[in-house]
Amino acid sequence: CFGMYAQLNTRYTAICENDLGEELRIDLPLATDSTYSLSVAQRPQQIVIKPLVPMDSMAQEPLFMLAQMRGAPLFQFAFSAEQPYVALPKNSIPNGVLQIVLLNQAGECLSERLVFLKHQKNAELDVNLDKASYGRRERAHVTIDCQQADGSPLAGNLSVSVTMDKCVEIDSCAENILSYLLLSSDLKGHIEQAGQYFNPGNTQAEAQLDLLM
């Protein structure tokens, strides 16, 4: 990750190359000083959001922030000279893609940022079968006990994928239920190896998710 100072009215191109030598060129938007943007910083306990306004904008123009996840509004805030930023508590935001929108007084979208929230403590599942093995097309009774990380019971809707070890080779980087529900379903386009962002062995997952957003 790096920063750069863009020259006014200059167009830049990002050149990306993978380990196989394949190259992708992406034309970036024209550099300008007349647009709004959002500064979003993830801290251990908070998400700090601050609007960046054009140099020629009206100092008294009202600006508002709306934060939502999967279509459900979570936070709204009115920026002011006395309060030019807002800090959102991360412990009140569930896992997933948080959409942060900057609005003017007319409700027009001026800027948008996506942030991924990934809490370390997830729900714990205890799965018990009524038998050690089953015959062909035999009914199976499964008991699932779902608890919070602190041991308190948790209610919810569950998705279950059942496969045969001999027929399916598990790829820790491939799309799975978790990556689809929390990531892929909220973003447009194809995400290469979506499961890698949820692999416990991937120590760079948070930084990679930030770049993906």
Side-chain angles (χ1 to χ4, degrees), residues 48-65:
V48 181
I49 304 168
K50 181 180 180 180
L52 304 178
V53 302
M55 297 177 62
D56 57 353
S57 67
M58 298 175 57
Q60 302 300 321
E61 182 178 11
L63 295 175
F64 305 89
M65 183 276 303

Side-chain angles (χ1 to χ4, degrees), residues 133-155:
S133 61
Y134 298 90
R136 184 183 298 272
R137 303 186 66 83
E138 183 180 355
R139 183 184 296 272
H141 295 273
V142 183
T143 301
I144 301 177
D145 182 19
C146 187
Q147 298 180 347
Q148 299 271 23
D150 60 3
S152 59
L154 181 64

Side-chain angles (χ1 to χ4, degrees), residues 23-179:
E23 186 178 286
L24 176 65
R25 301 176 67 91
I26 303 173
D27 292 330
L28 303 180
L30 187 68
T32 175
D33 61 358
S34 60
T35 57
Y36 291 83
S37 62
L38 281 167
S39 170
V40 179
Q42 281 211 53
R43 296 178 180 174
Q45 305 298 330
Q46 298 174 322
I47 299 177
V48 181
I49 304 168
K50 181 180 180 180
L52 304 178
V53 302
M55 297 177 62
D56 57 353
S57 67
M58 298 175 57
Q60 302 300 321
E61 182 178 11
L63 295 175
F64 305 89
M65 183 276 303
L66 174 65
Q68 60 183 8
M69 180 175 287
R70 293 185 279 275
L74 299 180
F75 300 96
Q76 55 184 2
F77 183 79
F79 295 104
S80 64
E82 295 75 22
Q83 190 63 47
Y85 69 92
V86 60
L88 306 182
K90 296 177 71 171
N91 60 3
S92 61
I93 307 174
N95 287 327
V97 179
L98 180 69
Q99 180 190 33
I100 304 171
V101 182
L102 181 66
L103 307 169
N104 61 14
Q105 195 168 19
E108 299 171 327
C109 179
L110 303 176
S111 182
E112 177 188 0
R113 283 289 304 274
L114 299 179
V115 179
F116 193 87
L117 272 293
K118 184 181 179 184
H119 301 291
Q120 298 301 322
K121 294 184 178 180
N122 296 316
E124 298 181 358
L125 294 178
D126 184 18
V127 181
N128 295 294
L129 304 176
D130 62 333
K131 296 174 60 176
S133 61
Y134 298 90
R136 184 183 298 272
R137 303 186 66 83
E138 183 180 355
R139 183 184 296 272
H141 295 273
V142 183
T143 301
I144 301 177
D145 182 19
C146 187
Q147 298 180 347
Q148 299 271 23
D150 60 3
S152 59
L154 181 64
N157 298 319
L158 303 180
S159 297
V160 179
S161 177
V162 181
T163 60
M164 294 180 61
D165 291 342
K166 296 180 179 180
C167 301
V168 178
E169 182 177 352
I170 298 178
D171 183 354
S172 61
C173 293
E175 181 83 278
N176 54 52
I177 293 176
L178 186 63
S179 65

